[in-house]
Amino acid sequence: MKVLGLSFGFHDSAAALLIDGRIVAAGQEERFTRIKHDADFPRRAIEFCLRQASISIADIDCVVYYENALKKFDRIVWASKVREQQKSNGGLMGRARTLWNAVIKANDVPPYLKSVTHSWFKWEKFDVVGRISDELVIAREKVTYVDHHDSHLAAAFYTSPFDHAAIVTMDGVGEYETAVIAVGRGSEIERKLAISLPHSIGLFYSAFTAFLGFEVNEGEYKVMGMAAFGQPKYYDEVRKLITLRDDGGFEIEQSCFEFLTPEMLPYTEEFLRRFGEPRKPEADFAVQRSDLPEDLTDAQADSVLSSSRHYADLAASVQLCTEELVLHLVAKASAIARTRNVCLAGGVALNSLANGRLIREGGYNLFVHPAAGDAGNAIGAAASYHHRTAKQPRMQGFASPYLGSPLDAAEVDAAVAKSGFDAVTTCSSDEELAEHVAGLLAGGAVIGWVQGQAEWGPRALGARSILADPTNPAMKRIVNERVKFRELFRPFAPAVTAEAASQYFDFEPNLTAGAPEYYMLAVHPVRAEKKSVIPAITHADGSARVQIVTSASNPTFHALLEAFKRRKGVPILMNTSFNLRGEPMVDSPGDAIRTFSISGIDYLVLGRTVVSGRIEL
Amino acid sequence: MNLSKIKVGVVFPPEATTPVEILRQEIEGVRTHFAEASANLTFTAPQAVLPTYRSLFPELNIGSAPRKFMADEHVVLLESYHDKDGYSAHWESGDRANQAGATASSIKFSGRIVPYKRDWSSSELQNMDANVFNQLSPREPWGFYYFPFGYLFRFLGMGPINSFGCRITQLLPGLARRDENHKVVACFGGSAAWSIFCLHHQMYTELLQQRLNAYCKEQNLELQFTVLNFGQHGHVVMNEMLSYMNFCWDLKPDIVVAHDGYNDAVYGQLCDSRVLDDWDVIYQENLEGWSQILHQTADIPRTQHSLPYRAVNQPVRVLRSYAKRKRQFAQIVRSNGGMFVWGLQPATFSHKRRSPLEASLLKRNRNPDHAPVAANVEGMFRILRQSLKLDDDTPFVDCDAAMSTYGPDHLMFGDDVHLMPDGDVLLAGLYADAIAKAYIDKGRWR
């Protein structure tokens, strides 16, 4: 059975192909179009999946969309109605306003509903089945859909290594639901609890993301990064906004938020009254004078330092409250399911700090779908159909996160020939490659590393990575300023051999296939005595978002880590995604060369080809 | 037309939200375009905003509007600038002016003067009959027109231009016969070199001329400089070479300044790889459209067949072609007895500390079609300055790097690449210093 799962329309379009229960290919559209978070119909991702399987669309048995569009619109209408009623409940003036709207401006549609409806018509969201059918030239009968959180549940459980697990999905909002607890057994998923809008962990976190000056659905992990520089001084204030229920659910106090009809900002005047002025986007952030431009006066510098501490403290407070909420949900789910196996999906599952605590404090056997956000629902939708509609046997879990575009040797040669770079070396073996590149890294070079199939999910895992020496204290600044052009407070993550992980990081690596550390989805403390050894990947709070690498999970990368260890004594590399700020991770050799060209990366490695960035014009 | 006898009535915008920097430039535009009628300029503003404008411009003696317009008047509307709605000339005054039979024009934020709800007059349409290619082109104030070597470009409303669209008022044959102590500097480049947001006297070439002459006077040197602006919209280095060979061969400029980089960087990414890779030729991709029109081949797709544009050529490959062609240009100039100055033009990414007005102008005037390839240019300029190896004789003037030292108190850019008058002041200083150091101080002409 060949099932094609699709997610598109809101953010992070993707396609995934399941053949007889095996994930054959999965790709996120942004990697092909080079438009970050591309939400458009995933034409190129679909073409990629079909090409990987050497089939055509005619061979597909079913195409499954990741959510119920009409139920979603029903929620939008309901939310608009609730909001209008709340406005009209404002005493005499409120009722007069309602009367005015009803009698004088008959049929006046609330602005939010009007703009959403207009957008839906424009982008053909009312008939997703029809749109898919037209785009792919496939019979309507072959197209179906599943509910949003059912996609997340399927993505979380069916790709896990567990036969029995508690499943928790948490995001902004699907149709109505924002979080679901379920139990997975074999091919069955049984829902136990659902939380609906307006109570949403994802939107709660996103509101603070926006307040802290970052882009929603993009900057949430920057909040995590900023939190490490602060203390949870505002914990009490933030915690007041959350009520944890005994049944595992939660409620968010709504006076501070606009989750129902978010036209402009997701927070209200009451939010500003409690938490002050929002941080301006791109505002200077620094916790020490040396991080600021020299031409600032002392007064200006003090102002920046003071405001930075304030916002960092708020980030720390929000992060702590979110972690508590996640722990609460997972504890209940585990109790209901009577197992320590836990599967997570939904955008909130990418909160690596929370995941680290679940592992260390909760002792859970955790699996997090690597593309836990909406892109992962392409797999989830296909998996849900495979099991629950088609009643097929339990599918195979993730064998590897490397599901994307392969690296073609001929394509590499052609791209390098057209690149304009002329200092090119080709290694004759993987061993020679590892030694050569380890030598460059040990010498202080920053390397763009492109190997094999691209990663599925937002983390670079040694297939489309930028690598550097973590023992060099200056390397964090070098890579942030010269290569990625990111804010200086953003941390970098390590890749470490699984064998050595516990020597450097305070956790016991779970080498079960699918452990979050394989996908860099859990943050753990760096051991106190090792912080000075690997300063470039030790964050301000002494933690790191760890990727463990085995010779089975990624042999080429593992060999490189070992070769680096022979030179510098540590089997660890700084591993960040191969992209510049504002662009998706590179995919093809051409993408890699383009990004390499205009960044400060010293060498580009494409398979066994090493390109030096040194040129003379 | 006897401009000294024209009465010019200047009308301020009806709302006081236009930034004062823009109003100043617009007033400068009026003064420039009606220099001969300076004694007959009157300024008015609607009553509600009169106090505001009077406090901003006390020297102008601003009267109250509305007032009756006369048929022998030239009414000039200063355009307003709104962050959300963009530019607008206030229509009510302009319409009354037209009804009264007056001539109505509006002044844009750059100081450009354009007709208001009327056709361009014959005196305003410069050079329409200057040569057959002007005559064969549409009688329009803006556009690119066919010319056998490169193309002809016309942009009216910013001051005098010659028959090829260059902002040159001098007669070149006369300059070719100049005295030994009279030195000519010829500046080349694209629209940024043309200085599209600067009035004639604000162009960096005019300022450069003043600076060089002032320097020579200060140094008691018997040298006189004339600086000519051969900049043309869209020019890449290949076009600059063609212009030099067409217009400058007999002129033998003593110094050639090639102020470029951006057009080659952008167009180089967009053009056919085969033309770039095999021949190091960079061309403007929209010229493929001319080919389609000429040969009726619209059914054959162009290299850029969808929007937004996508880079088809790698940055370093483009830079190699650009550097090669620029070296070729330098060789041609030297073979004709001139000296070469390699200029790298600035772009907005180097002026990151900018004022809210500049940020607003950038947002309003950004070209979304070019955005994906324009995003690569900053990195390309960085590679260029790190990797370019010039012989000691050739000055390299990095106007882009110099831009980063300026903060928000300088209104530098009106869009991604075109400078406002403050920016051209910077360019003039940089090139004056480079020419002084590389040539004048070394006694090149003693």
Side-chain angles (χ1 to χ4, degrees), chain A residues 200-222:
Chain A
S200 164
I201 310 174
L203 294 180
F204 170 82
Y205 203 89
S206 293
F208 282 96
T209 299
F211 180 79
L212 289 168
F214 304 121
E215 193 185 326
V216 170
N217 288 330
E218 162 66 22
E220 279 76 6
Y221 55 94
K222 296 184 187 181

Side-chain angles (χ1 to χ4, degrees), chain A residues 418 420 590 594 597-598 617, chain B residues 277 314 320 376 382-383 387:
Chain A
K418 281 169 65 75
R594 191 165 303 117
S597 300
I598 60 174
L617 293 172
Chain B
D277 289 346
Q314 293 286 359
R320 286 199 186 279
N376 294 332
R382 198 180 316 116
I383 297 169
S387 310

Side-chain angles (χ1 to χ4, degrees), chain A residues 33-35 44 295 415 418-422 482 485 589-591 593-594 597-600 615-617, chain B residues 273 277 310-317 319-320 323 327 353 375-376 379-380 382-384 387-389:
Chain A
T33 62
R34 312 307 301 152
I35 298 169
R44 296 195 200 186
D295 60 352
K418 281 169 65 75
S419 68
F421 291 100
D422 48 19
R482 216 181 76 196
F485 311 112
D591 296 339
I593 287 171
R594 191 165 303 117
S597 300
I598 60 174
S599 70
I615 60 166
E616 197 169 289
L617 293 172
Chain B
S273 303
D277 289 346
R310 299 207 176 275
V312 296
N313 298 309
Q314 293 286 359
V316 170
R317 186 65 195 83
L319 286 173
R320 286 199 186 279
R327 282 200 162 87
R353 291 181 297 139
N376 294 332
M380 293 170 76
R382 198 180 316 116
I383 297 169
L384 185 73
S387 310
L388 188 65
K389 295 283 180 283

Side-chain angles (χ1 to χ4, degrees), chain B residues 64 76 97 177 238 325 337 339 369 382 384 389 431:
Chain B
S64 176
V76 180
R177 297 186 293 272
M238 290 289 287
R325 290 299 179 184
M339 293 173 282
D369 296 341
R382 198 180 316 116
L384 185 73
K389 295 283 180 283
Y431 284 121

Side-chain angles (χ1 to χ4, degrees), chain A residues 390-554:
Chain A
K391 304 291 183 201
Q392 295 293 301
R394 174 72 190 266
M395 64 182 272
Q396 300 172 26
F398 264 125
S400 142
Y402 307 108
L403 301 173
S405 303
L407 192 66
D408 178 79
E411 197 182 343
V412 167
D413 291 343
V416 171
K418 281 169 65 75
S419 68
F421 291 100
D422 48 19
V424 180
T425 307
T426 304
C427 297
S428 57
S429 67
D430 287 345
E431 292 74 28
E432 184 189 332
L433 176 73
E435 292 304 320
H436 180 63
V437 175
L440 296 173
L441 286 162
V446 179
I447 305 282
W449 174 262
V450 178
Q451 299 290 340
Q453 282 188 262
E455 298 88 340
W456 172 243
R459 303 278 85 86
L461 303 171
R464 302 292 186 271
S465 291
I466 292 173
L467 305 174
D469 177 4
T471 69
N472 181 349
M475 195 52 78
K476 181 180 162 189
R477 178 179 276 268
I478 288 171
V479 178
N480 259 333
E481 278 185 347
R482 216 181 76 196
V483 177
K484 302 221 34 166
F485 311 112
R486 303 186 324 179
E487 303 92 339
L488 287 179
F489 66 82
R490 302 273 301 280
F492 289 104
V496 59
T497 58
E499 309 85 82
S502 61
Q503 296 170 29
Y504 292 88
F505 305 100
D506 192 7
F507 78 106
E508 274 308 313
N510 172 5
L511 297 183
T512 308
E517 291 83 358
Y518 281 110
Y519 309 128
M520 207 185 258
L521 287 173
V523 169
H524 296 297
V526 177
R527 290 197 181 278
E529 70 277 14
K530 297 295 186 186
K531 289 178 187 174
S532 59
V533 176
I534 42 176
I537 56 85
T538 302
H539 198 23
D541 62 355
S543 68
R545 192 181 65 203
V546 183
Q547 178 198 1
I548 58 172
V549 183
T550 66
S551 55
S553 69
N554 192 330

